[in-house]
Amino acid sequence: MRPRRAAILPALLLAPLLFPAAAPAAVGDPRERLADPAQEARARAIGRELRCLVCQNQSIEDSNADLARDLRLIVRERIAQGATDAEVVRYLHERYGDFVLLRPPVTAATALLWAAPALALAGGATAILLALRRRRVAPDAVVEEAAAPLTEAERARLAAIEAAAAERDRRPS
């Protein structure tokens, strides 16, 4: 019976992580929803395209932050007033800037941000190639230096070393 209990305990501890409570259809108070289902669907679609300025990686539809609630209300008010989807998004974009958009427009600044990893990779590859090229050139320089003729002092020392080695070889062991 003990092995079975040992197997059940981890399952009980992991169950809340594996089966989270069902998330509500939309965050927020149901009283905030629009009466017209088509308008509410448009509001949700727009809300999924707008970033929560507090949470930063959630849409305003997924966030519980007060500011996200306020933005959801603004979206629904504008839709109820008859604004198009583009007008609602433009209104919030003008008010909060590119950061409110989950998919910001491509500008020079955003293009540079997207290109930065590729530029860094290219720079690193260039640095590695230059280092390998220098490493390949360096042994040739050492060979050229070694091929230089010996000075008289070096020849005398070499002769003494060779004579000592020959003497050692001639001695009986």
Side-chain angles (χ1 to χ4, degrees):
M1 188 80 172
R2 273 192 186 264
R4 189 173 187 182
R5 246 187 235 168
I8 291 174
L9 183 61
L12 288 175
L13 293 174
L14 292 175
L17 298 175
L18 297 175
F19 304 106
V27 175
D29 191 349
R31 294 174 291 186
E32 296 172 0
R33 295 186 185 141
L34 293 169
D36 182 5
Q39 286 183 335
E40 180 62 25
R42 283 181 50 213
R44 286 186 186 179
I46 293 170
R48 283 189 293 274
E49 297 296 319
L50 299 172
R51 180 189 321 269
C52 173
L53 301 173
V54 175
C55 306
Q56 297 182 4
N57 285 328
Q58 288 183 321
S59 71
I60 63 171
E61 288 296 315
D62 297 330
S63 175
N64 286 325
D66 290 338
L67 182 58
R69 186 182 134 280
D70 293 343
L71 291 175
R72 285 193 302 268
L73 289 174
I74 291 171
V75 168
R76 282 161 176 77
E77 285 173 7
R78 303 294 255 166
I79 288 175
Q81 293 170 358
T84 65
D85 294 0
E87 289 172 341
V88 173
V89 171
R90 189 177 327 111
Y91 173 79
L92 291 169
H93 182 243
E94 289 171 356
R95 195 168 180 184
Y96 295 102
D98 287 343
F99 193 72
V100 78
L101 303 175
L102 278 173
R103 286 184 278 158
V106 177
T107 62
T110 56
L112 182 61
L113 286 174
W114 283 104
L119 293 174
L121 183 63
T126 302
I128 289 171
L129 289 174
L130 290 175
L132 290 175
R133 178 185 263 175
R134 277 191 223 122
R135 184 180 256 178
R136 197 176 309 142
V137 170
D140 294 340
V142 171
V143 169
E144 287 177 14
E145 186 179 303
L150 298 177
T151 64
E152 286 301 320
E154 289 171 336
R155 283 191 195 133
R157 184 158 187 253
L158 181 59
I161 291 171
E162 288 175 343
E167 183 65 31
R168 246 184 289 130
D169 290 342
R170 278 189 253 142
R171 286 190 204 150
S173 298

